[in-house]
Amino acid sequence: MKYESLWEPWLSLNVLSPLTWPEWELRHGVPAGTIIKAIRAGGENSAWMKYMRGELSAAQFVDAFGKECTAIAGHSVPASSFLSDLTMGPMAQQLPAMTEAIRRIRAEGLKTALLSNNFFLQGGDTYLPVERAQFDVIVESCIEGICKPDPRIYQLCVDRLGVLPQDAVFLDDVGQNVKAAAQLGIRSIKVIALDLRQFSHGQSNPTYLVSIGGRQLVLRKKPPGPLLPSAHAVEREFRAQMLDKEMTQLTPLSFALCLFSVIGTPFYLMDYCPGRIFKDPLLPGMTSEERKEVYKAMSRVLCQIHSVDVKAAGLEDYGKSGNYVARQVRTWTKQYRASETHRISAMERLIKWLPQHLPTHTKTTVVHGDFRLDNLIFHPEKPEVVAVLDWELSTLGDPISDLAYSCLAHYLPPSFPVLKGMSQCDLPGLGIPSAEEVFTQYSRCMGLECLDNWNMYMAFSFFRVAAILQGVYKRSLEGQASSTSAASVGKMAEEMAELAWGAPGTSPRRSFSGWSPALTTAPRLPDSFSIRQASGGDTSPPLDPGHLIISPTSLPPHVQALHRRLQEFMSARILPAEQQLRDHQASADRWTPHSMVEELKAEARAAGLWNLFIPREVDTKAQLGVGLTNLEYAHLCELMGHSVFAPEVFNCSAPDTGNMEVLIRYGSEQQKEEWLVPLLNGTIRSCFAMTEPKVASSDATNIEASITQDKDSYIINGHKWWISGALDPRCKICVFMGKTDPSASRHRQQSMILVPMDSLGVTVVRPLSVYGTEDAPAGHAELLFEGVRVPRSNLLLGEGRGFEIAQGRLGPGRIHHCMRLVGHAERALELMKDRVKGRVAFGKPLAEQGTILADIAKSRMEIEQARLLVLKAAHLMDTVGNKVAAPEIAMIKAVAPSMTLRVVDRAIQAFGAAGLSNDYPLATFFSWARALRLADGPDEVHQAAVAKMELRR
């Protein structure tokens, strides 16, 4: 047989999830490395190898292996527990990804074999928890009496398959196994773990981060299905980047282009370039000077590209010389017509107007074609561009088209879902150059004099983006889009085209460097926009989380594995400890954290169940957490909601989660090092001080606390209450909201500042109780801040930015409480069902009483309704951003607490007096749900917001 692909007649596959030895050793107090040393010690005569060859029964293995481990550890090691864990949980479940791989191989008509080093269980059966029907041949070491890497076991497998060694391919992740198979003439491949993640940024060519063998690469491919002519030209992009690497040294090294259908469509590979990509042109978290330097670097790079000597670089054939804008207008008109789904009046006017107002005298240079801030990679620390991405549209053309396109953000609203804008923002105050200043910087560098047709270039830029978005929308309708948010952002084509024109009378004519409309019928750039605008909120670019996932079984395989491990941890470690922790909360020592919590936190972190809340949008490389979308985390957060103690164990509890997000998004490097790192490690806790006793704090503009500058310090005065977590002795830092400028506009008066809890002048007045309980050790405190002095460097983001931070803090954290409340309700219903099945009243089980049955039915229906709304809100946050998801967020914040109150109340009623006691979590669930009808914003505020948004629809 000739080798034509990787998949050959016989494959040995690793189909089971691995047991993590260090995790088991940590859980059982066994010195690290004991298990692997015992497996390797003794060679072929070790208890492990004898067990694999079937020479020992399970009981004999436990005895022998236990002695070997004990000798290494220096104390008794529970070998029976080791064997039990080895054959239960993750190890007893076939990996979904491998199951799918086997299915695809067999669909090609190829044979499959499983070659396993395994053993006999207590009952005499062999341990092999797989679908045996998936394999043509299964060879088990304990039955054959020989193990990998003994050459005889490979020969045995080949013989049973009826193939020659050279017609087989063997896959294994152990080097000695691969080497032994290769010596028989079998084509052997050592498997290296490969991690593949799709970048969420962009709407054109699907792009992936490939991590393999310690190296990180980027794979960029064409979308599947029929495409518009000349669109998605990855081969052109590859050539451009190869050329640019020689010219400007500003592209990652591209080294492999494949035009065949190895992965379905043509693709190329390039080195991954570490650095920073700024998706938000407002550059939150930076100082004015830092923003200024970033935009200067952007301008320098554009000049560098436009200064390339076309002839010296051998680029005369890279594009046509002259009439670039005319050709581009024709090209994008054709692209638009090919993807047109309905008539867009603004596009029709532009198609008529643009050819009549083309530039007459232009220069020809290399043009990028898609030059904007978020296509640049900046040095991790310096304001230097290290790479320019997305050269798909590059050619020879008019450089002013690149310059105009780079200024799009200046005329887009911050709420625009596709490209974040910064119109109506205080650019001078932020240190961001205006469009005029960008033009001036570029002109000085390139020796350009004033233009008399800048408006035409800007109109063309909007026109081109509108045509691109229409193509994205068309592909989404045909199921070919590279991003699952394509359907929503593609519909912005019409609004983008309208921006090119502006509504008559909405803006004055502009006049810098001759910039002004030639005719009253020319497109005009508006100063303000009404397109889906709303005040505040995070408008982070949408992620790409897939379809709305309503069941954990539909989650991606790696998230399913997390969900499974979390569920097992909850069942095995947290729920059994609940009563002890509840009793501690009612004891005299309640203000001292229970040692068990810290033990459970260590176990959870070792199990990889740590910082699960950090959203992928701010942690794209999963360096701080595990890189989940809001939708994926919703399923895990619900599980945590089964116990009020669980979130802290996984470092996912409020207010720490919101405060960590603030520091991640807005903190300086110094603030992150001092406070974010220990919070991420779970070694300290934090609180958030906004609510005040003397004003209605549901309207945050009412707060009266002051933050006054005094030389190199700020002086803080204020009276705060209901400050959750402030009483915990581990609480070391407070995020404090107060007014720095009471005379400023209503939403620019407030600022946020970091206040160490041991600062002089911070006084705990008293712990506040909720329905008579103090929620120790975290508690809810009433605090006084009297003349508290902190360094100016403790200010977050800048003066007057408090509301901006507050909206960012309410990003994914907006619905974490709702996710957990669904978990409260689900657990309450589970407890209710167990209770009524075992209790008898009036001659028959409670479970047969009509009122009980009706209550169970109502609870199940209400839980399902609320869960779907939570998941929808999370999905919209991922796909269209928090601002567009605002109605669903407001709805679920009103729906979830009330639903939970009803479900828990029914469970308490079924329990009788026991439901009110500390013996069950129901009373705590009830008090938390009731508190959250206020703590996360009063129901009335959410309902009013929903009604107003509904009336605007």
Side-chain angles (χ1 to χ4, degrees), residues 538-558:
D538 177 19
T539 56
S540 300
L543 296 171
D544 184 12
H547 302 294
L548 175 60
I549 299 171
I550 62 174
S551 168
T553 58
S554 298
L555 290 166
H558 73 284

Side-chain angles (χ1 to χ4, degrees), residues 643-715:
S643 171
V644 295
F645 304 106
E648 181 184 354
V649 170
F650 304 110
N651 213 36
C652 293
S653 58
D656 294 335
T657 51
N659 291 339
M660 281 188 269
E661 283 192 49
V662 165
L663 289 167
I664 291 170
R665 292 173 184 268
Y666 308 111
S668 67
E669 292 306 313
Q670 176 187 340
Q671 291 166 349
K672 290 177 182 178
E673 183 66 28
E674 187 172 4
W675 302 114
L676 176 61
V677 171
L679 281 169
L680 289 169
N681 288 332
T683 55
I684 67 170
R685 305 243 13 220
S686 63
C687 63
F688 181 73
M690 185 180 77
T691 305
E692 298 179 2
K694 296 181 180 179
V695 297
S697 299
S698 57
D699 179 355
T701 62
N702 286 336
I703 64 171
E704 297 177 340
S706 65
I707 303 173
T708 306
Q709 185 176 333
D710 181 29
K711 297 180 182 178
D712 60 350
S713 302
Y714 281 103
I715 308 298

Side-chain angles (χ1 to χ4, degrees), residues 377-398:
I377 299 179
F378 282 77
H379 187 280
E381 298 175 354
K382 305 173 185 177
E384 298 175 2
V385 177
V386 296
V388 181
L389 303 177
D390 207 350
W391 290 79
E392 175 191 345
L393 300 175
S394 64
T395 185
L396 299 182
D398 185 344

Side-chain angles (χ1 to χ4, degrees), residues 51 56-64 83 119-123:
Y51 193 33
L56 298 179
S57 66
Q60 291 170 330
F61 168 73
V62 167
D63 180 63
L83 182 59
F119 46 84
F120 289 107
L121 297 172
Q122 291 282 5

Side-chain angles (χ1 to χ4, degrees), residues 668 670-671 674-675 707-716 733 752-756 758-759 788-796 799:
S668 67
Q670 176 187 340
Q671 291 166 349
E674 187 172 4
W675 302 114
I707 303 173
T708 306
Q709 185 176 333
D710 181 29
K711 297 180 182 178
D712 60 350
S713 302
Y714 281 103
I715 308 298
I716 297 166
I733 189 67
M752 287 193 190
I753 196 165
L754 298 174
V755 181
D758 60 0
S759 299
V788 180
R789 181 181 294 270
V790 299
R792 287 187 64 186
S793 59
N794 282 24
L795 191 70
L796 285 163
E799 290 190 8

Side-chain angles (χ1 to χ4, degrees), residues 324-335:
Y324 170 75
V325 176
R327 286 185 279 109
Q328 286 287 298
V329 169
R330 290 195 296 269
T331 296
W332 289 108
T333 299
K334 290 178 182 177
Q335 298 286 59

Side-chain angles (χ1 to χ4, degrees), residues 736-806:
F736 182 97
M737 188 165 179
K739 289 186 176 179
T740 46
D741 184 3
S743 64
S745 61
R746 191 163 178 250
H747 291 93
R748 295 285 291 181
Q749 299 175 11
Q750 301 79 11
S751 300
M752 287 193 190
I753 196 165
L754 298 174
V755 181
M757 289 297 288
D758 60 0
S759 299
L760 187 66
V762 178
T763 304
V764 176
V765 178
R766 57 171 173 151
L768 300 166
S769 63
V770 179
Y771 287 133
T773 61
E774 294 170 318
D775 192 28
H780 310 282
E782 182 176 352
L783 300 176
L784 281 179
F785 296 80
E786 298 174 300
V788 180
R789 181 181 294 270
V790 299
R792 287 187 64 186
S793 59
N794 282 24
L795 191 70
L796 285 163
L797 199 55
E799 290 190 8
R801 309 292 291 277
F803 262 86
E804 179 182 342
I805 298 171

Side-chain angles (χ1 to χ4, degrees), residues 253-309:
L253 176 62
S254 301
F255 55 83
L257 172 66
C258 178
L259 298 177
F260 303 102
S261 299
V262 175
I263 59 172
T265 61
F267 68 94
Y268 72 91
L269 289 169
M270 58 182 164
D271 277 330
Y272 172 72
C273 182
R276 298 174 294 168
I277 294 180
F278 302 120
K279 299 178 182 179
D280 189 338
L282 291 173
L283 302 176
M286 287 190 176
T287 64
S288 297
E289 189 60 33
E290 287 171 335
R291 294 189 185 97
K292 186 180 300 181
E293 291 302 316
V294 165
Y295 276 94
K296 282 183 179 179
M298 180 181 178
S299 181
R300 285 195 300 268
V301 167
L302 185 59
C303 293
Q304 189 176 350
I305 292 171
H306 292 169
S307 298
V308 169
D309 188 325

